[in-house]
Amino acid sequence: MILLTGPNKPRQHVRGFSLLELLVVIFIVGLLSGVAALTLPGKDGAALLNEQRYSLLSSLRAARAEAVFSGRSLGLLWQGRSGVYQVLTQEGWLPIDTGVLAKPVKLADGVRADILVGGEPLKTAAVEREDSEAKAQSPQILFVGDGQVSPFEWRLFADDAESVMFDQSLRLETSP
């Protein structure tokens, strides 16, 4: 770039950064930040369990609130490592297909769960057949329109971490 400093003054050359130099610097900064991100420690078992507990409690609280506000009975049908919310209609239990509760509830990788419903271990609902017609599956955890929740205890486990638990009160409490 040539700069004129006055009407009859000699021209001076001003040096700046070229586009190539800027691209090289941006590439190096990106490379270093990528290496730094890869060296950060991952979540340990306790952090993973607490994050999963907060996520599940949030979802269950939303279901209880929806049952109270709508005046309808809702339920969580849990199968294996995930579950879906259902609503009780005149036709029976139907999956919720709109809103926040339409999204399936899933356990994170590395997390295991033991669920007791009414003091008994949760049995995954199997499709029952009657005269070769499949019955709809009923949820195991129920949310009634008056705010009541069926009794359950949900314990989460992960490697190298103490288990965490919550129950139908849907409160955060630490357990031994």
Side-chain angles (χ1 to χ4, degrees):
M1 176 184 239
I2 301 173
L3 178 67
L4 294 175
T5 57
N8 294 325
K9 304 267 180 164
R11 296 181 180 179
Q12 295 178 348
H13 291 281
V14 178
R15 175 142 165 83
F17 293 108
S18 70
L19 180 60
L20 181 60
E21 291 170 325
L22 286 174
L23 289 175
V24 169
V25 169
I26 290 172
F27 174 76
I28 292 171
V29 168
L31 188 64
L32 291 175
S33 62
V35 169
L38 291 175
T39 60
L40 292 175
K43 291 181 187 170
D44 65 346
L48 182 63
L49 284 181
N50 280 322
E51 181 180 305
Q52 184 71 69
R53 178 172 58 169
Y54 295 139
S55 174
L56 288 170
L57 279 172
S58 174
S59 179
L60 294 169
R61 287 174 179 167
R64 180 178 62 187
E66 177 63 27
V68 170
F69 291 133
S70 69
R72 301 182 301 176
S73 294
L74 303 178
L76 177 64
L77 174 64
W78 191 261
Q79 298 178 307
R81 297 185 48 80
S82 66
V84 293
Y85 286 106
Q86 297 182 333
V87 61
L88 184 59
T89 66
Q90 292 177 347
E91 293 83 31
W93 289 101
L94 297 176
I96 296 176
D97 56 1
T98 59
V100 176
L101 299 179
K103 182 180 175 187
V105 180
K106 296 181 180 182
L107 289 179
D109 292 336
V111 175
R112 300 176 311 281
D114 281 343
I115 305 170
L116 299 176
V117 176
E120 296 290 323
L122 178 75
K123 294 181 175 133
T124 302
V127 176
E128 299 174 11
R129 301 215 176 256
E130 188 174 289
D131 296 332
S132 70
E133 290 184 18
K135 281 187 172 180
Q137 298 174 345
S138 298
Q140 301 97 338
I141 299 175
L142 303 177
F143 304 91
V144 186
D146 63 0
Q148 294 182 48
V149 180
S150 62
F152 72 90
E153 183 179 297
W154 200 318
R155 189 170 296 274
L156 300 171
F157 302 91
D159 295 334
D160 302 327
E162 190 172 321
S163 67
V164 296
M165 188 272 294
F166 57 92
D167 60 17
Q168 70 274 359
S169 67
L170 303 180
R171 291 188 302 237
L172 287 174
E173 296 178 6
T174 57
S175 63

